[in-house]
Amino acid sequence: MPATPRGATLRRRIRSTGGKVIRRFGLLPAGTPDGLGEDAALLGTSWPYEVLVYFADTTEALYQIEQWYDALRALHAEHPVVVVTRDSRTTRAIRRDSGLDVRTVAHYTTLDDVLGRSATKLALYVNHNPENFSCLRFGNLVHASLMHGDSDKLVTVSNQTKAYDFSFVAGQAAVERMARFSTLYDAHARCVTVGRPQLDDQLRLRATTPRGPLPTVLYAPTWEGGQPSAEYGSVATHGPRIVRALVESGRYRVLYRPHPLTGVRVAAYGDADAAIREYLASAPAPAEGAAHGTDTHRELAPAFAAADLLVCDVSGVAMDWLATGEPIVVTRPVGDAVIATSPLLELAPALRVDDLDDVAGLVERELTEDPTRAERLRLRDHYLGDTEPGAATRRFIEACERLMAVRDEEVARITAEYGRGTTNAQSTGSATGDEEGTR
């Protein structure tokens, strides 16, 4: 028997009520936004923000936007910024930790309504979440990808970059990487070099942090990645042996900084992470100076400030460390991860599983002889540009201002050529409606 209209309506109401209860009490699968938006209060209003940062993820991915807080606060001081989320838990965390204005928008139609009467010009994104397309639809904004790190991982040249009008990158190395590995993409026209604003405070803190009596080796691996081709992490294959060898040598203080997502896809990574933490917690302290330990600060700056040498994987941490000018050792993955040829990976000593028996000797040679220092300092400029504290933040703000000016010029051109009505609507027009657009 076909369902009656009344029965169908009842089922919809039950599903809607059940969904609200699930969202309200946080009974959602990890990574699923709760959709508890401020839509009712936002509909029919406008806002004063020139810049919108769209972050569709849940709290598990907060580390991706957290590293941009300082730069976004500096931008907000000159051009009002709002962070738009799809999850009320994420909103609370960002408001608490960043001090930025944050709005939770559950439905595309709400964003369409507000932007249609607001002066927002620029949208920024810190990842490639598929939900970004809910905001990328608005043709009256300029859209720029910031991402959450610059590295020689092939995932940094994802074809998804083409969805954005521009891509903010650290330095010329990133432009060359995009030009080489992204087909049909004009990297020289669409990449904007801004340096790494995140390094400004890191370098200031490092300059004022006293050195310990023993060299500190920072082991800062990446996670296992979302798929085998991006499995650059070394925690499960290298980690325990690296840490144990350096501690047992008695010559170094060891500081371990795990990636926040370690172990979410491959259990062996989580097991190795736990083993390293437990070992360092129980290992005898060095004869002089601070104890060995695990660093879980939200900010990378304290760990960088304390370290004299970095052991890391192919990741954004390697690029950021270049700013310090100090020695670096980069592991090589065991599995099927694809490694791009790059100046840094060709220069930095490679640590393979077969080399782990001599990891303490390798660290000793790099600290005492540092044979690649001069070339590494040249690479610093190539990868990061001007690393004088404050320079990158200024470049970031100026880049945002240029893109807003480009947007204004383009809107004026289209209005003059096609008429005012063509630029009034923020959206490029969706025939699918709110529910289709946000599923």
Side-chain angles (χ1 to χ4, degrees):
M1 291 286 292
T4 64
R6 184 176 180 180
T9 299
L10 180 60
R11 280 195 296 275
R12 283 197 298 272
R13 288 178 177 172
I14 291 172
R15 285 197 299 269
S16 176
T17 301
K20 289 177 181 176
V21 170
I22 288 171
R23 291 194 298 271
R24 181 63 64 187
F25 289 95
L27 305 175
L28 292 160
T32 303
D34 64 15
L36 297 176
E38 304 165 57
D39 298 68
L42 289 171
L43 282 170
T45 69
S46 62
W47 60 30
Y49 307 107
E50 292 182 85
V51 181
L52 181 161
V53 182
Y54 195 74
F55 187 71
D57 280 86
T58 52
T59 54
E60 292 85 355
L62 278 170
Y63 72 94
Q64 296 174 349
I65 191 171
E66 285 172 343
Q67 64 176 258
W68 284 100
Y69 285 169
D70 286 341
L72 292 173
R73 282 191 289 261
L75 177 62
H76 180 71
E78 301 185 33
H79 301 277
V81 173
V82 64
V83 180
V84 172
T85 82
R86 300 188 68 240
D87 185 279
S88 65
R89 300 161 297 181
T90 303
T91 291
R92 288 193 294 272
I94 296 176
R95 280 179 180 155
R96 180 191 66 229
D97 297 332
S98 73
L100 295 165
D101 292 346
V102 192
R103 301 289 181 268
T104 314
V105 180
H107 302 294
Y108 166 80
T109 50
T110 304
L111 201 54
D112 180 64
D113 181 72
V114 174
L115 291 178
R117 53 172 65 88
S118 299
T120 308
K121 302 177 180 182
L122 175 64
L124 304 174
Y125 307 82
V126 299
N127 58 28
H128 288 322
N129 189 310
E131 286 295 338
N132 288 356
F133 278 91
S134 294
C135 190
L136 280 163
R137 288 178 174 181
F138 297 107
N140 208 34
L141 305 179
V142 169
H143 302 267
S145 168
L146 304 183
M147 295 304 291
H148 50 276
D150 183 41
S151 75
D152 284 322
K153 293 180 180 180
L154 282 185
V155 293
T156 62
V157 292
S158 167
N159 207 48
Q160 293 163 294
T161 303
K162 297 176 185 176
Y164 309 91
D165 299 311
F166 297 93
S167 180
F168 283 15
V169 298
Q172 188 58 32
V175 179
E176 294 173 1
R177 188 188 310 121
M178 292 293 295
R180 179 178 180 183
F181 293 103
S182 292
T183 56
L184 301 177
Y185 182 78
D186 189 348
H188 297 283
R190 296 179 63 183
C191 289
V192 181
T193 57
V194 297
R196 287 282 286 160
Q198 295 81 359
L199 299 180
D200 288 346
D201 284 341
Q202 291 182 21
L203 292 171
R204 292 189 189 100
L205 181 61
R206 184 176 178 85
T208 58
T209 299
R211 316 316 303 158
L214 289 179
T216 293
V217 177
L218 173 62
Y219 175 48
T222 190
W223 69 303
E224 58 267 31
Q227 60 277 338
S229 63
E231 196 169 330
Y232 298 93
S234 65
V235 172
T237 55
H238 298 59
R241 289 179 64 187
I242 290 174
V243 170
R244 186 176 293 275
L246 294 176
V247 168
E248 291 180 350
S249 74
R251 290 176 281 178
Y252 313 106
R253 176 193 175 224
V254 177
L255 187 61
Y256 169 55
R257 182 179 171 83
H259 190 283
L261 295 183
T262 299
V264 300
R265 186 177 69 84
V266 180
Y269 279 76
D271 294 341
D273 170 58
I276 293 171
R277 292 176 189 238
E278 291 171 7
Y279 174 75
L280 288 174
S282 60
E288 300 178 89
H292 308 294
T294 299
D295 177 83
T296 56
H297 287 99
R298 190 183 73 214
E299 302 291 342
L300 184 59
F304 266 27
D308 299 283
L309 178 144
L310 173 70
V311 178
C312 69
D313 306 331
V314 179
S315 71
V317 174
M319 305 303 166
D320 288 355
W321 180 257
L322 273 177
T324 70
E326 300 303 326
I328 181 173
V329 173
V330 182
T331 70
R332 292 298 185 271
V334 171
D336 299 323
V338 180
I339 300 177
T341 301
S342 74
L344 177 57
L345 294 182
E346 290 178 346
L347 180 70
L351 182 59
R352 298 176 175 83
V353 167
D354 293 342
D355 304 325
L356 288 175
D357 287 342
D358 189 39
V359 64
L362 173 61
V363 167
E364 180 70 17
R365 286 192 295 274
E366 291 302 307
L367 281 170
T368 56
E369 301 174 19
D370 198 5
T372 62
R373 179 175 177 80
E375 182 59 26
R376 206 169 55 242
L377 293 178
R378 285 192 288 273
L379 283 185
R380 177 174 64 184
D381 296 337
H382 185 59
Y383 275 92
L384 300 172
D386 186 357
T387 55
E388 183 69 24
T393 297
R394 188 68 247 166
R395 289 173 66 189
F396 169 70
I397 294 172
E398 290 171 352
C400 290
E401 290 172 339
R402 286 198 304 274
L403 293 196
M404 285 189 280
V406 166
R407 178 263 183 197
D408 289 345
E409 292 168 4
E410 184 65 5
V411 167
R413 183 192 67 78
I414 292 173
T415 299
E417 187 169 347
Y418 298 104
R420 182 170 300 277
T422 59
T423 59
N424 285 343
Q426 290 276 2
S427 174
T428 54
S430 168
T432 57
D434 175 48
E435 294 304 319
E436 291 290 329
T438 56
R439 265 179 203 154

